[in-house]
Amino acid sequence: MLDLTHDAPAPKVIQGAKEDWELVIGLEVHAQVASMAKLFSGASTAFGAEPNSNVAFVDAAMPGMLPVINEYCVAQAVRTGLGLKAQINLFSAFDRKNYFYPDQPAGYQISQLYHPIVGEGEVIVDMGPGVARKVRIERIHLEQDAGKSIHDMDPAASFVDLNRAGVALMEIVSRPDIRGPEEAAAYILKLRQIMRYLGTCDGDMQNGNLRADVNVSVCRPGDYEKYRETGDFSHLGTRCEIKNMNSTRFIQQAIEVEARRQIAILEDGGEVVQETRGFDPDRGETRSQRSKEEAHDYRYFPDPDLLPLEIEQGWVDDIAGTLPELPDEKKARFVSGFGMTEYDASVLTAEVENAAYFEEVAVGRDGKLAANWVINELFGRLKKDDDRDIEDSPVSAAQLGQIIDLISKGDISGKIAKDLFEIVWTEGGDPARIVEERGMRQVTDTGAIEAAVDQVIADNPAQVQKAQANPKLAGWFVGQVMKATGGKANPKAVNDIVTAKLGL
């Protein structure tokens, strides 16, 4: 079982000119559903296609075209809800959210306001060993994405690309449980990690497949606790929403900037106006975009072209039966099963591909040794090589496992293993064969090692006296013997023989 006994991190405190303030943050994360087709049409969701090439008639809102629900997208939303330990609603319905924008041809967005597909859940956000924040999920609803307006192709005209129009999104709405910029970033990354394990969203923030609207408010110390006790939002400050953030670094900056803006207004005796704002990273400021609409401003009503969704518990149970081991459970297993630290387990489970690679290396081997090689040697080399992804590693899990086997059998030393790793990285090949063909096998013949030790001692009588007076200097002899044997001597055997020969 996973141990969730964590201490909650302290909330972020910002010193104003007159008093201290605390942050309260809620996030609406828009995650593109990993699906080959759109939510209500069979058009492709492939990224990077020619503008307006992945558009069905219904996506372009042609007259008489009717939406048809993509069952796979519904299954992906259910799968995400199950991964977040959330309530799955067997009854849900789609609504029309009415507003005009050039890249939304129908003049409305099909979404879910009154009856979302997924209800309350939770995310445990790790902030360090033994420190975590539990963030409550209020709901997840399915909706269609809009197209994209392009303003930089012509000085006198704007263009619209509808390739994204109709792509399925999951909007994951949190409670205002996040108390600092670092927690907000960690929460988004944890959501991304869980969905990548589930295979429900690829989490590519650069392409806009994962983005967030960030709700920020400030309150005086103690007021948040009153809200949690009573559920009364009046204890919290007025929130402003920062739209369409797709960088965790910019999200942290925007939260800090917006909080300080609100504090300055309040300490000057003013009132914060609820509104939608954008973040300008170049100027380091948030700017007003529009006053915050309420639900009635969108004239929500049930979509007349779509029947309510009624799903069976058995179908949900079938999806639950296919869920993979999720990051928290995998991390706990790595700690208990391989005896590694929580930090190392976090590094190895950060990406689903990394965890799979490690497990292939570690099976039947020393888990700690495998973890050390994957984290320090492999990840270090991947980073050095232009941050290459683990799927593109020239050293396969099988090859790295063979290198570890050669270390464990005593055929090669740790130093030789690093040289061997570099050869396999650059040239490929079978590690055991490379060791044999290039004479890299470790010298374990104690007679040969003893002869090398005797020679070094004989050549350095003055150093012998120093080492006998200060045993810490014995390491110098070990280094000389390793050098004399081309680094092939077994280090432990060398150390034992040097210690015995010097009478230490």
Side-chain angles (χ1 to χ4, degrees), residues 259-450:
R260 293 190 182 280
R261 184 190 73 86
Q262 293 182 19
I263 290 168
I265 291 172
L266 294 169
E267 292 195 336
D268 284 343
E271 290 187 4
V272 174
V273 177
Q274 183 173 343
E275 62 182 347
T276 296
R277 300 181 70 84
F279 176 61
D280 184 337
D282 295 327
R283 292 177 175 268
E285 64 182 20
T286 63
R287 280 188 244 160
S288 179
Q289 292 182 333
R290 61 181 186 268
S291 60
K292 177 62 178 175
E293 298 91 343
E294 301 297 336
H296 58 77
D297 294 320
Y298 290 118
R299 305 188 321 281
Y300 276 100
F301 61 85
D303 191 296
D305 293 332
L306 288 161
L307 291 170
L309 271 178
E310 295 187 36
I311 58 180
E312 297 178 352
Q313 185 61 49
W315 188 65
V316 175
D317 293 340
D318 288 343
I319 295 173
T322 67
L323 293 187
E325 183 181 39
L326 292 172
D328 286 343
E329 286 73 22
K330 191 177 288 290
K331 185 173 80 169
R333 179 169 62 81
F334 281 10
V335 170
S336 61
F338 296 114
M340 67 179 67
T341 65
E342 188 174 331
Y343 173 80
D344 284 353
S346 296
V347 172
L348 290 168
T349 56
E351 297 286 352
V352 62
E353 296 86 359
N354 293 357
Y357 186 103
F358 165 73
E359 289 213 74
E360 187 177 342
V361 173
V363 62
R365 299 185 175 100
D366 182 328
K368 275 188 174 180
L369 183 60
N372 182 58
W373 269 86
V374 172
I375 292 171
N376 296 322
E377 301 304 324
L378 180 72
F379 289 175
R381 194 64 175 81
L382 288 168
K383 186 172 183 62
K384 182 180 175 183
D385 203 0
D386 297 325
D387 272 332
R388 188 186 290 213
D389 291 333
I390 199 165
E391 300 99 311
D392 301 324
S393 170
V395 179
S396 69
Q399 287 171 316
L400 184 54
Q402 290 175 49
I403 293 173
I404 292 170
D405 288 341
L406 291 167
I407 298 170
S408 299
K409 289 190 293 184
D411 289 348
I412 58 174
S413 65
K415 182 180 181 305
I416 295 172
K418 291 182 180 182
D419 295 337
L420 176 60
F421 178 86
E422 188 62 27
I423 293 169
V424 176
W425 180 279
T426 55
E427 302 175 24
D430 178 78
R433 181 175 297 173
I434 292 169
V435 167
E436 291 301 325
E437 291 178 350
R438 304 198 185 188
M440 299 174 72
R441 185 178 292 276
Q442 182 172 237
V443 177
T444 55
D445 177 6
T446 54
I449 295 172
E450 190 170 350

Side-chain angles (χ1 to χ4, degrees), residues 39-41 58-59 64-70 94 96 108 110 144 303-307:
L39 184 56
F40 298 115
S41 82
V58 70
D59 305 323
M65 295 297 104
L66 297 176
V68 178
I69 189 71
N70 182 339
F94 288 97
R96 288 187 181 179
Y108 59 83
I110 301 177
Q144 57 181 178
D303 191 296
D305 293 332
L306 288 161
L307 291 170

Side-chain angles (χ1 to χ4, degrees), residues 234-263:
S234 67
H235 292 295
L236 303 180
T238 301
R239 63 188 171 90
C240 291
E241 183 181 44
I242 308 167
K243 293 289 287 185
N244 278 328
M245 304 291 291
N246 66 346
S247 158
T248 54
R249 180 166 64 91
F250 288 159
I251 284 171
Q252 293 180 74
Q253 292 175 9
I255 290 170
E256 190 85 31
V257 165
E258 176 60 19
R260 293 190 182 280
R261 184 190 73 86
Q262 293 182 19
I263 290 168

Side-chain angles (χ1 to χ4, degrees), residues 192-213:
R192 176 184 183 275
Q193 180 192 38
I194 291 170
M195 289 188 290
R196 280 175 54 76
Y197 268 71
L198 291 168
T200 56
C201 175
D202 67 15
D204 190 335
M205 300 185 78
Q206 186 174 346
N207 290 343
N209 295 356
L210 188 69
R211 52 194 192 267
D213 298 338

